[in-house]
Amino acid sequence: MERIDDASVADRPLRNLQEVVKRYAFGPFLLDAQRSVLSLGDGAPLPLGPRVVSTLAALVERPGAVVTKDELLDRVWGCADVGESNVAQCVYTLRKVLREHGLDGAIATVPRRGYRFTAPVELTAVSIAPPPSRMPAAAAGHAPWAVTRWASVAVATLVLLAVGAVPTVQAQTPPSLSARGNELYRLARYYWNLRTLPNLAKSARLFAAVVKSDPRNPLGYAGQADADLMIADYGVHKLNATPYYARARREVRRALVLGPDSAAAHTSLAMLRAADDHDISGAFAEFRHAIALDPNYAVAHHWYGTLLFQRGRLAEASFELHRAIELDPVSAATSAWLAEASYYDHRYGDAITYSRRALDLDPRRHGALERLGLAYELAGDFPRAIAAFERMLNGPEADRAPALLAEAFTRVGRYADACAALRQALRLHPRDYDTALALLAAGQRARGLAILARMPRPQEDTPLADPRIDRFRAALRGRSGVLAPTG
């Protein structure tokens, strides 16, 4: 296994048995500076990377004072060879999170020097606290009945998994993550939410480090399963998914042995059933069970929402995805899926908002620029639609841009540009759905319908019908005979 050499997760001396814990309150937030945890007032932790929270702590501890960029680099990155852009990226992320909860402008830039925290800050607690326990109270005391009961639950769960049935089990509460395990876990989830193969691989290594740090906690194993499930999904055209699903299945089993009532473990099991077993009803049941176990587990709401979306249940999908983004406001993946659900539900303003949010969080988020451009186009804002599609020309989805540009150029009367883009689209993707719609928009209905005729019949009358079809619905319905007028 590749060694994790990031300074933020490298092995370090154990803290003293007792440590000082400082907590600060500002706006709706609570900041545990010692453990680098930022929470909302209701206690829900925000899944920010440890360096982002450490940057905030450096500012909050000295409200109103200028904290220089060099001070931030020294405190947060130590001896790592990084530059001021790393500080700027952390501040950018912090400003977004603070703004979303009513603290716009809380971090002021001091030109050529650094930053100043301007919001009122209250030191709410200074206490001496022991580190989190790694084992349940009964097990820590080595009570024989507790250990026997823990082992019995494990064996019973393995038997149930073997036959494919995992009912709710009244189980011993699994231990909390240690401070180090929690830091690793939050960082792993950060990379996992970026949803690219390199970042998913990095998240897998970090989840493995969680398992090494806290081997009796189900969260690390569930995280490993989630990483493997997403690698299988996002690497569909590059990788053989079978070994990733097999490994995820082993990791889910281990997570359920350690935590039969773990929402994370049941969420991973739900996605495994949907993705590999194709058991949609079983997946739905597992997602509902996971949410009942922990209504504040963002991943369960996110994946449940995506599955509802794929089944065309847009209102329910939007509800779950909105809940996920409330719990995890910096997830680019959730924002992107909310943009999808809004677009197909003809709520183009929301689709624009969430597409832009996804791009703010991850400028290379797959599909977000395309969805942004299409939402602008259907909202009638063609200049911004064209600008979004032209931005695609400089990214990994450049080959998809010409067909989208051809249709948009046609709508605004830029026919020479439309013809050039359409020729390029026909060279790149002569049988693609977007190319067909571009041909229809350009008046080449016979060629466009001929492409569609060779494809699986579009879902013209379902909740997942592309709203662009509305313009051509009459022609599409008449394609088997005489073309109907398109209006």
Side-chain angles (χ1 to χ4, degrees), residues 179-215:
R180 174 169 165 74
N182 185 56
E183 178 184 359
L184 290 163
Y185 183 82
R186 288 187 292 111
L187 191 60
R189 282 293 174 195
Y190 167 79
Y191 287 110
W192 183 79
N193 269 321
L194 295 177
R195 298 294 205 279
T196 65
L197 287 177
N199 283 315
L200 288 168
K202 189 166 188 176
S203 78
R205 295 193 295 272
L206 286 163
F207 283 127
V210 176
V211 169
K212 184 177 179 181
S213 171
D214 295 73

Side-chain angles (χ1 to χ4, degrees), residues 333-400:
T334 305
S335 292
W337 276 98
L338 261 173
E340 291 278 319
S342 301
Y343 174 82
Y344 283 96
D345 204 24
H346 298 76
R347 293 182 288 107
Y348 304 123
D350 288 346
I352 291 166
T353 296
Y354 288 114
S355 294
R356 292 178 62 181
R357 180 171 177 162
L359 289 166
D360 282 343
L361 292 165
D362 180 6
R364 297 177 66 84
R365 170 67 198 185
H366 180 82
L369 261 179
E370 178 179 346
R371 191 61 55 213
L372 177 64
L374 290 173
Y376 272 133
E377 180 181 320
L378 291 179
D381 192 341
F382 291 101
R384 284 193 172 93
I386 290 169
F389 297 146
E390 287 177 335
R391 282 175 60 192
M392 290 176 62
L393 292 170
N394 299 317
E397 299 171 282
D399 64 319
R400 298 189 54 79

Side-chain angles (χ1 to χ4, degrees), residues 98-433:
L98 296 175
R99 183 171 62 248
E100 288 165 358
H101 295 279
L103 284 184
D104 194 11
I107 300 177
T109 299
V110 181
R112 296 182 296 279
R113 294 185 63 194
Y115 303 93
R116 178 192 291 117
F117 195 80
T118 61
V121 176
E122 178 185 359
L123 180 60
T124 62
V126 178
S127 60
I128 303 295
S133 172
R134 290 175 177 265
M135 299 183 66
H142 303 288
W145 66 268
V147 175
T148 302
R149 183 170 182 267
W150 188 267
S152 299
V153 170
V155 172
T157 305
L158 279 174
V159 172
L160 290 166
L161 281 163
V163 299
V166 183
T168 300
V169 180
Q170 186 65 35
Q172 197 93 332
T173 301
S176 300
L177 283 173
S178 66
R180 174 169 165 74
N182 185 56
E183 178 184 359
L184 290 163
Y185 183 82
R186 288 187 292 111
L187 191 60
R189 282 293 174 195
Y190 167 79
Y191 287 110
W192 183 79
N193 269 321
L194 295 177
R195 298 294 205 279
T196 65
L197 287 177
N199 283 315
L200 288 168
K202 189 166 188 176
S203 78
R205 295 193 295 272
L206 286 163
F207 283 127
V210 176
V211 169
K212 184 177 179 181
S213 171
D214 295 73
R216 297 297 301 171
N217 193 293
L219 285 176
Y221 296 96
Q224 286 183 304
D226 293 349
D228 282 324
L229 288 166
M230 289 296 92
I231 290 171
D233 184 18
Y234 282 77
V236 63
H237 300 301
K238 303 176 183 179
L239 303 170
N240 176 12
T242 302
Y244 291 95
Y245 285 136
R247 192 162 62 196
R249 196 174 299 277
R250 293 192 297 271
E251 291 155 349
V252 169
R253 287 175 177 168
R254 182 59 177 162
L256 284 166
V257 167
L258 293 172
D261 286 342
S262 164
H266 283 279
T267 297
S268 303
L269 177 59
M271 182 51 74
L272 183 64
R273 286 188 168 169
D276 191 36
D277 299 337
H278 307 292
D279 177 8
I280 303 302
S281 61
F284 276 136
E286 282 296 336
F287 279 131
R288 289 191 292 267
H289 182 46
I291 291 170
L293 288 169
D294 183 359
N296 294 322
Y297 186 51
V299 178
H301 291 282
H302 171 94
W303 268 347
Y304 187 30
T306 62
L307 190 60
L308 288 165
F309 169 81
Q310 291 164 354
R311 310 305 288 182
R313 294 161 63 174
L314 297 181
E316 296 169 86
S318 293
F319 176 86
E320 295 298 333
L321 291 167
H322 273 291
R323 180 62 181 141
I325 213 166
E326 289 172 1
L327 296 166
D328 186 358
V330 293
S331 169
T334 305
S335 292
W337 276 98
L338 261 173
E340 291 278 319
S342 301
Y343 174 82
Y344 283 96
D345 204 24
H346 298 76
R347 293 182 288 107
Y348 304 123
D350 288 346
I352 291 166
T353 296
Y354 288 114
S355 294
R356 292 178 62 181
R357 180 171 177 162
L359 289 166
D360 282 343
L361 292 165
D362 180 6
R364 297 177 66 84
R365 170 67 198 185
H366 180 82
L369 261 179
E370 178 179 346
R371 191 61 55 213
L372 177 64
L374 290 173
Y376 272 133
E377 180 181 320
L378 291 179
D381 192 341
F382 291 101
R384 284 193 172 93
I386 290 169
F389 297 146
E390 287 177 335
R391 282 175 60 192
M392 290 176 62
L393 292 170
N394 299 317
E397 299 171 282
D399 64 319
R400 298 189 54 79
L404 302 170
L405 280 167
E407 184 176 355
F409 284 146
T410 301
R411 300 292 174 197
V412 296
R414 293 171 56 178
Y415 300 116
D417 292 333
C419 288
L422 186 54
R423 284 194 296 271
Q424 189 176 5
L426 285 166
R427 286 196 301 271
L428 291 169
H429 298 293
R431 301 180 183 84
D432 189 73
Y433 180 76

